Amino acid sequence: MSNTQDPSALLNQRSSRSGRTNYELYSWLFMRISGIILVFLVLGHLFIMNILDGGVQRINFGFVAGRWSSPFWQVWDLLQLWLAMLHGGNGLRTIINDYAERDSTRLWLKGILYTTVVFIILLGTLVIFTFDPNLS
Amino acid sequence: MWSWVAHRITGVAVFFFLFVHVLDTALVRVSPDAYDRVIATYKTPLVNFLEVGLVGAVLYHALNGIRLILVDFWSKGPKYQRAMLWVIVLLWFVVMVPGIYFMTKHTFEQLFGTAP
């Protein structure tokens, strides 16, 4: 079983693996807190985008412009972006730790992962904040 | 065991989609036309069925995630973990059946001229 699912296993492991920090405990807690928030944000997003009022067929630049004219949807999307990328990034980190056995492989995969997560979060944030509805 | 395997697989799949999805949405900063062209692929029958898969994966991951939280924090969680698995499988079908209908309605009209 995954070491992020069982806090007692995690506490036993902590002394041998990561010294005196509580990093894995915070990571385990973060997955649960962000997970609960993401259930509402992401399922709400999927419902609006794919099911409500004609679903994906009605989406275009004008639709995005209409939504992002409201701070409510800007904050929704921004929070969703950050939490989903950090939640997914942390999940992939766990999977890399579980399956990549060689130290160098783990290091490379995590390097690529962290670079990607930072890039996507920055790009998405930039797009939300600098969106121009009058762009042609 | 299998619920945990499925949780990992759906998690990874959704993460990779999210990566692509932020990139395609970023095209709104390039031009309305570039964005509309890439969004047009989301409206094709093939990608529409992939979207059903995406929604199914996210929904399973969300429901099983709630189950995991209950197992961890609810005192009776471990006792009912198997029962809760059947509850989430049932909920998954209850949401997906109408969900698939509304998501693929347009595609069926396009392919066969009529909705099922």
Side-chain angles (χ1 to χ4, degrees), chain A:
Chain A
M1 278 282 158
S2 159
N3 57 22
T4 57
Q5 287 179 16
D6 182 359
S8 60
L10 218 143
L11 289 169
N12 294 334
Q13 224 175 45
R14 188 157 43 103
S15 53
S16 62
R17 203 198 258 173
S18 53
R20 25 192 192 139
T21 67
N22 279 326
Y23 185 78
E24 292 300 337
L25 182 64
Y26 293 134
S27 150
W28 174 86
L29 197 61
F30 170 77
M31 291 309 262
R32 273 129 192 92
I33 294 169
S34 60
I36 292 172
I37 303 169
L38 282 167
V39 166
F40 294 100
L41 292 178
V42 175
L43 291 183
H45 179 80
L46 288 177
F47 181 73
I48 294 165
M49 296 302 177
N50 292 285
I51 292 173
L52 203 68
D53 193 25
V56 74
Q57 300 298 331
R58 75 198 196 288
I59 297 175
N60 57 26
F61 184 86
F63 181 84
V64 177
R67 273 170 65 82
W68 279 350
S69 64
S70 148
F72 178 82
W73 296 115
Q74 284 184 313
V75 171
W76 181 302
D77 286 348
L78 193 69
L79 199 62
Q80 184 172 242
L81 168 77
W82 278 71
L83 290 178
M85 281 311 290
L86 293 173
H87 184 102
N90 198 32
L92 249 79
R93 183 186 68 88
T94 306
I95 288 175
I96 291 169
N97 279 338
D98 280 359
Y99 300 116
E101 291 180 0
R102 284 175 53 199
D103 281 354
S104 62
T105 313
R106 269 208 307 277
L107 204 69
W108 269 104
L109 288 176
K110 282 197 245 178
I112 296 166
L113 175 68
Y114 296 157
T115 311
T116 308
V117 167
V118 170
F119 172 73
I120 291 291
I121 287 180
L122 290 180
L123 176 69
T125 305
L126 185 84
V127 168
I128 292 172
F129 279 120
T130 66
F131 177 71
D132 173 12
N134 301 315
L135 184 74
S136 58

Side-chain angles (χ1 to χ4, degrees), chain B:
Chain B
M1 172 66 190
W2 290 110
S3 67
W4 170 80
V5 172
H7 200 76
R8 290 208 152 176
I9 293 172
T10 52
V12 172
V14 171
F15 182 79
F16 282 123
F17 171 73
L18 178 59
F19 172 77
V20 175
H21 185 45
V22 173
L23 293 180
D24 67 55
T25 305
L27 288 175
V28 295
R29 285 298 290 125
V30 177
S31 77
D33 186 53
Y35 180 75
D36 287 349
R37 263 184 292 152
V38 78
I39 287 302
T41 63
Y42 279 92
K43 303 176 187 179
T44 59
L46 176 69
V47 182
N48 185 231
F49 288 122
L50 293 175
E51 283 151 20
V52 172
L54 174 77
V55 170
V58 171
L59 184 62
Y60 171 80
H61 198 86
L63 291 170
N64 193 54
I66 294 169
R67 174 175 158 263
L68 283 180
I69 291 171
L70 288 171
V71 169
D72 285 344
F73 290 108
W74 179 35
S75 59
K76 291 190 177 126
K79 188 181 160 194
Y80 291 115
Q81 63 91 10
R82 184 161 282 274
M84 287 194 288
L85 181 59
W86 294 118
V87 172
I88 69 157
V89 169
L90 187 73
L91 275 175
W92 189 88
F93 278 102
V94 167
V95 176
M96 283 309 282
V97 170
I100 290 172
Y101 174 78
F102 287 111
M103 281 186 73
T104 58
K105 201 164 170 257
H106 182 272
T107 293
F108 274 103
E109 281 164 0
Q110 203 183 335
L111 290 177
F112 307 112
T114 173

